[in-house]
Amino acid sequence: MAQLHKEITATSPDAATVASRHRLAQWLWQPRERETVLLTVVAYLAIVHNLSLWQHASATLGLEGVRALFGLVAVGMALVTILTVVLGLLTPGRLFRPVLALLIVAASLCSFYMDAYGTVFDRGMIASVLETNPGEAVDLMTPGVVSWVLISGIVPALWVLRVPLKQRRILRGALQRTGLIAMLVLLLLAVVLPQYRTLSFWGRQHRDVRMLVNPTFPLYALYRETKSRFGEGAGQTAVALLGMDARAAYAGAVHQPLRVIFVVGETVRADHLQLNGYTRPTTPMLAARADLLSFVNVTSCATYTAASVPCMFSRLNADHFQRKEARAQENVLDVLQHAGIEVSWVENNDKCHGVCSRVPSVTIAQDANGAHCKPPACLDTSLIAYLPDAPPRHDELLVLHTVGSHGPAYFHRYPDSMRYFTPDCRREDVQNCTQQEVVNAYDNTVRYLDQFLNTVIEHEAATGANSIVLYVSDHGESLGENGTYLHGLPNVLAPEAQRHVPMLVWTSPAEQETGFLSHGCLQQHMADPLSHDNIFDTLLGLFSIQSDVYEAGQDFTWPCRG
């Protein structure tokens, strides 16, 4: 028995350990003032879930030594003050616990993507999140996300939900909350005023830093996007007509019908095409074609599909584009239909974001069976089945919306037989692969695009049709440069990789014989600065559409048409 007692004593916590645990439990669960809990949560959010803001401030303040320290202290005081005011307003009365807990979890989720991928949760990113399909959502919910949210979000949220709060009168609570905010504002002024010139200049030069305040800016972006979608006038079904006067210049005359196949790319950046000088053989088939032209200086309207696709089909140019305004009026597909052009849309990227709402369309089921489909989506070669097998009887536009190189699960975008660049990243949390593995997987998607586009061209050439194939990507992608992955950054912050996109043009032998579009002339303009703004008028110009909404200056084929 003595020996057993000795063994139990040896494996049991000593008195000091038990006392320490008891004191910790008392500290965690002792009754607290609401302001104490609020300030504790604010400090936690500022330190743990705003690392991207701290990194940005450290890199851009341009201060050294003690001045750098005081500058960061001022940024920290501003952050704490903002969070305290906003969270204080959002957590009145009985909403204090649940709202504060929910905000901690939301901040945890946002901070993972901000720190791991360089994501900024502005209104555009919120729109992308709201429109993400289940397959893409599964790709993004990696074990790393789940574990981070569990440890840094749910655990502290449970503390907030359970910690005892002191009872007090409403008036006393209001005075305490006001006093806390007043104290923080005074401290902020005391820190900022001595270095006001430096900090005000930094604030003007880096207004984008507000987008990194977590979770207040994501909340603001969510409010703006929700108001746009569900606020006053959001449910209106009336769409403003556009280009009702549209007609083909040769209307009534005998002519050879034209087919334009417009392939809308996804997440392909221009500098990873062998065609454009990339040193790796990502587009060997297309590079071997003398009848294919690559326009090397093209900029996307936005860095995410929900804006860039509607923008390229809209009359609104990038500088004035608003998705709500674009949804409220017809686009270039409607104008073409008004002119008698047969328009159709085939979707392999979940949705057309309202662009194809008024034209005949078909969506390839994400879980469809067949050689070109594998969970969670179908490969782009599944679109080949929708290509016509004969020349057109009437002028027609066929739009193929691809899933392209959409990440982070790049390995889902090409079959195993296309694993040309290895080792390739075979996981969704790409930040845990080496950058070379990420690049290899991405380049495999581009090589698969090479095969797909070449098949489209060969199929169309075999029909003997008078036809044009146009390819434009919706936006680019970051592959770990400077710690940034994926896409979706606001245009003011986006690196060139997210906005520099490829544009390719192929004209059939039958089309070249007509002399309508000069191949040699287009070659001379391949380096011209172009953007998604040129798509609207170019599509009208290819069909010789006359209309008040057509602007010849934005039609990049206009100087080369006979």
Side-chain angles (χ1 to χ4, degrees), residues 431-447:
Q431 76 279 9
N432 291 321
C433 292
T434 66
Q435 187 175 9
Q436 189 58 57
E437 289 172 338
V438 175
V439 172
N440 286 344
Y442 183 83
D443 284 351
N444 284 337
T445 68
V446 180
R447 193 172 173 100

Side-chain angles (χ1 to χ4, degrees), residues 17 22 74 165 173 252 334 348 396 431 507:
T17 302
H22 181 67
L165 297 177
D334 300 293
N348 191 40
E396 63 180 50
Q431 76 279 9
T507 53

Side-chain angles (χ1 to χ4, degrees), residues 372-412:
H372 303 291
C373 293
K374 66 173 185 176
C378 291
L379 299 172
D380 284 330
T381 43
S382 59
L383 293 164
I384 301 297
Y386 295 88
L387 295 176
D389 292 322
R393 296 183 177 180
H394 308 281
D395 288 339
E396 63 180 50
L397 169 68
L398 171 61
V399 183
L400 305 178
H401 190 194
T402 66
V403 72
S405 302
H406 198 287
Y410 304 117
F411 65 98
H412 284 321

Side-chain angles (χ1 to χ4, degrees), residues 67-323:
R67 293 185 65 201
L69 176 62
F70 277 106
L72 290 176
V73 169
V75 172
M77 280 303 307
L79 176 61
V80 167
T81 303
I82 291 170
L83 291 177
T84 303
V85 172
V86 175
L87 270 60
L89 292 173
L90 293 175
T91 55
R94 295 182 179 180
L95 294 177
F96 182 80
R97 292 177 186 275
V99 172
L100 210 54
L102 183 62
L103 291 176
I104 293 173
V105 176
S108 174
L109 187 61
C110 290
S111 70
F112 179 88
Y113 291 104
M114 292 172 73
D115 299 340
Y117 297 113
T119 303
V120 173
F121 285 91
D122 66 335
R123 188 174 163 187
M125 180 56 67
I126 294 297
S128 296
V129 170
L130 294 176
E131 297 181 13
T132 297
N133 64 52
E136 293 173 349
V138 170
D139 288 344
L140 291 169
M141 294 306 295
T142 64
V145 180
V146 175
S147 59
W148 173 254
V149 173
L150 176 64
I151 295 171
S152 70
I154 294 178
V155 170
L158 290 175
W159 176 79
V160 169
L161 292 172
R162 294 187 58 191
V163 65
L165 297 177
K166 293 180 179 180
Q167 299 297 318
R168 66 186 185 187
R169 296 180 181 275
I170 296 177
L171 179 59
R172 181 187 174 189
L175 291 175
Q176 287 179 326
R177 187 70 57 89
T178 304
L180 173 63
I181 293 174
M183 179 189 69
L184 290 174
V185 171
L186 290 175
L187 287 174
L188 177 62
L189 292 175
V191 174
V192 169
L193 288 179
Q195 45 190 342
Y196 175 76
R197 287 186 178 180
T198 299
L199 292 175
S200 63
F201 178 78
W202 174 75
R204 288 194 298 270
Q205 293 294 108
H206 300 277
R207 296 179 185 274
D208 50 280
V209 72
R210 63 191 175 90
M211 300 179 181
L212 301 177
V213 180
N214 183 25
T216 56
F217 192 81
L219 283 175
Y220 170 73
L222 178 61
Y223 164 75
R224 290 288 307 277
E225 182 61 22
T226 303
K227 182 180 179 182
S228 174
R229 289 171 179 252
F230 307 109
E232 183 179 353
Q236 63 184 14
T237 57
V239 176
L241 301 178
L242 189 70
M244 294 299 294
D245 62 333
R247 61 185 293 275
Y250 47 76
V254 177
H255 75 287
Q256 187 175 1
L258 171 68
R259 176 188 295 134
V260 174
I261 299 178
F262 183 16
V263 182
V264 179
E266 170 68 61
T267 321
V268 180
R269 49 190 280 180
D271 62 347
H272 274 244
L273 269 66
Q274 177 187 354
L275 268 174
N276 294 341
Y278 189 44
T279 55
R280 307 182 89 184
T282 54
T283 56
M285 294 181 179
L286 298 179
R289 303 195 68 98
D291 54 359
L292 184 73
L293 303 177
S294 178
F295 291 79
V296 297
N297 193 10
V298 183
T299 303
S300 68
C301 178
T303 62
Y304 58 99
T305 306
S308 57
V309 168
C311 183
M312 74 168 75
F313 288 91
S314 170
R315 175 68 284 175
L316 304 172
N317 286 344
D319 292 341
H320 305 98
F321 179 78
Q322 295 290 333
R323 285 180 294 117

